[in-house]
Amino acid sequence: MIWQQQPQKYHVLARGVILSNNHLLVAHCIGMDNTFLPGGHVELHESIRTSLYREINEELGLISEVGPYIGAVEAEHEDKGTYHQEINHVFTARLENADYRKNPESKESHLEFYWIPINEMDQHNLLPKPMRKIVQNYINDVKGPYFESTFKEIE
C-alpha cells in the first residue's frame, strides 16, 4: 500500500479551551491558513494536564489553571509527503487576567495568539474541524466528555 511507503508520525496533544466574554483564544502558526487551540505535544514522563500547563507557559509566558477534561478529537492529515495522525485531549483552562480585548504576546516567533468570537470558529478555520463541535458543546453545557473524529467510522 502506498501509505505504508510514506513517512508517518503519531502525535499526542494537550489543548486548552480558554474563554473570555464569549471569545475563544486561538493559536495561529504564521504563514498557515488555520488556527488551533493553545497547547501542544505531550512529552514522555509527563501527564497530559502537566503538558498543557507547560505548553501554555512556554508559548505565552503565562501561568494557567488547567480545568476539567472535556473530550478528545482524533484527526489525520498529510503535510509535505508525511502522514500525520493525532489525538487531541481537550481541557478547559484559565489564564489570570484574561481579557479578550488584549491579545497575549507569543513567546515563540512562529506563533501568534488572538481572541475570536465564539461564533467565528469557521471563519478562522479552527482545526481539526471536529474541535469546533467540542468547543460548542462545552459552551452550550452539553454533558460530556465528548469525542469527535475526522476518520470515517466503520459500519
Side-chain angles (χ1 to χ4, degrees):
M1 296 176 100
I2 292 176
W3 63 267
Q4 292 175 326
Q5 297 170 4
Q6 75 181 135
Q8 301 175 49
K9 292 187 177 183
Y10 188 77
H11 310 272
V12 178
L13 303 158
R15 300 284 181 203
V17 173
I18 303 170
L19 301 171
S20 173
N21 197 33
N22 292 317
H23 285 73
L24 175 68
L25 185 64
V26 295
H28 173 249
C29 189
I30 295 168
M32 301 297 281
D33 66 354
N34 65 287
T35 60
F36 49 93
L37 294 179
H41 286 88
V42 174
E43 295 182 0
L44 293 173
H45 309 285
E46 181 178 67
S47 75
I48 297 171
R49 288 164 115 358
T50 299
S51 296
L52 180 56
Y53 178 89
R54 175 188 49 75
E55 285 284 351
I56 290 172
N57 185 257
E58 287 175 1
E59 295 173 347
L60 295 165
L62 299 172
I63 301 299
S64 63
E65 180 183 316
V66 177
Y69 183 79
I70 58 175
V73 172
E74 68 176 354
E76 63 179 341
H77 66 277
E78 193 169 319
D79 183 38
K80 299 175 185 162
T82 299
Y83 172 83
H84 295 268
Q85 185 172 330
E86 62 186 45
I87 183 78
N88 294 268
H89 292 281
V90 187
F91 295 83
T92 63
R94 285 185 352 103
L95 299 176
E96 191 173 316
N97 301 319
D99 184 348
Y100 74 97
R101 296 169 294 189
K102 184 175 188 273
N103 292 331
E105 182 182 327
S106 177
K107 301 300 180 194
E108 298 186 7
S109 61
H110 68 287
L111 292 177
E112 62 183 348
F113 294 86
Y114 52 88
W115 298 95
I116 64 169
I118 281 297
N119 62 353
E120 293 184 7
M121 290 185 285
D122 289 342
Q123 292 93 313
H124 291 273
N125 196 21
L126 181 69
L127 295 180
K129 196 171 182 180
M131 193 69 75
R132 302 170 199 181
K133 185 172 181 185
I134 288 217
V135 171
Q136 201 61 56
N137 281 348
Y138 170 68
I139 290 166
N140 292 334
D141 203 28
V142 176
K143 296 299 177 207
Y146 323 104
F147 177 79
E148 296 294 331
S149 178
T150 63
F151 286 84
K152 183 178 179 179
E153 291 296 324
I154 55 172
E155 298 192 16

